[in-house]
Amino acid sequence: MFDFSAVIPHLPQLLVGLASTLLVSLSAIALGLVLGWAICLGLTGRRTWLRHGCAAYVSFFRGTPLLVQLFLVFYALPALGVSLPPLAAAVLALTLNSAAFQGEILRSGFQMLPRGQIEAARDLGLSPLQTLLHVQVPQVLRSMLPALTNETIDIIKNSALVSAVAVHELMRTAQTLASTTYRPIEFFAVAGLFYLLVTLCTGRLGSWLESRLRTA
């Protein structure tokens, strides 16, 4: 029979693991958004070599498994003389992966904007930077927020893979406790519940922000 009472004494450890999961995920999303903007600008820029380079980057990180990317960062960088702790390597791999998806999301958002808006902003005397910050970016974020929310949820779920490179986040903690207590079903079920609660809260937050931006 299942005995979930065996999980209760280990809840503090699971919560610490959850905090590590959130740290890894939110760091990757934030850094991925910054890099994603750069990729978006490269994909929509005029320089052919930069467009092709960014397109190749996006194709690689969208077309290969995240677990492979994690292993490449974790094992290849030390071979090149760059040694990173497991947590930093995990954040880097998730950031590179998320940036590819966020760059494509942002590119799609910019392509949906009417071309006449840029000409109207130029006629009003706005500089290209002012047009970007005050005209284009607010509309892109408003239209792309659902996709960005889904990407955040995907990164939170995919962060479970970083347990494979010895990062002690929620899944790694659950694995350790399951092997020492011989209660795998209970610990993995509770870990799954934690992931579910976090992703549900993220989805609700995204919906709230979307409604606020729609009425702003």
Side-chain angles (χ1 to χ4, degrees):
M1 293 294 295
F2 303 142
D3 182 15
F4 283 93
S5 63
V7 178
I8 296 176
H10 302 283
L11 279 178
Q13 293 170 266
L14 290 171
L15 291 175
V16 170
L18 177 60
S20 181
T21 290
L22 294 176
L23 173 63
V24 170
S25 302
L26 296 180
S27 298
I29 285 294
L31 295 173
L33 181 59
V34 175
L35 183 55
W37 276 109
I39 293 171
C40 173
L41 294 176
L43 290 171
T44 57
R46 297 180 179 179
R47 298 184 179 182
T48 304
W49 65 269
L50 186 57
R51 288 202 310 273
H52 289 329
C54 290
Y57 175 95
V58 170
S59 296
F60 175 80
F61 281 97
R62 293 181 68 187
T64 58
L66 177 57
L67 188 59
V68 172
Q69 298 164 22
L70 278 165
F71 285 145
L72 286 176
V73 171
F74 189 73
Y75 292 111
L77 287 183
L80 298 174
V82 180
S83 181
L84 294 177
L87 182 62
V91 171
L92 177 59
L94 288 175
T95 296
L96 295 175
N97 178 274
S98 181
F101 287 90
Q102 293 194 64
E104 272 294 299
I105 291 171
L106 294 169
R107 182 189 65 81
S108 299
F110 277 105
Q111 287 184 337
M112 291 172 59
L113 296 178
R115 299 288 298 178
Q117 288 188 353
I118 299 177
E119 298 175 2
R122 188 183 302 115
D123 293 339
L124 291 173
L126 297 179
S127 67
L129 180 60
Q130 289 175 322
T131 301
L132 176 66
L133 295 178
H134 300 293
V135 178
Q136 294 176 291
V137 170
Q139 294 183 81
V140 169
L141 290 179
R142 188 181 299 115
S143 62
M144 293 294 102
L145 186 58
L148 292 174
T149 300
N150 288 336
E151 172 61 15
T152 301
I153 291 173
D154 286 341
I155 285 294
I156 292 173
K157 293 188 297 182
N158 289 336
S159 68
L161 293 174
V162 306
S163 62
V165 292
V167 176
H168 287 278
E169 40 67 74
L170 178 58
M171 183 55 66
R172 182 78 171 189
T173 303
Q175 290 173 341
T176 301
L177 293 173
S179 63
T180 56
T181 61
Y182 303 101
R183 291 288 180 180
I185 294 177
E186 289 86 343
F187 280 99
F188 287 130
V190 172
L193 178 61
F194 282 171
Y195 281 112
L196 177 62
L197 291 175
V198 170
T199 55
L200 286 176
C201 291
T202 302
R204 290 292 181 90
L205 177 61
S207 299
W208 178 78
L209 289 174
E210 187 180 356
S211 64
R212 289 295 299 271
L213 289 174
R214 190 184 299 116
T215 56

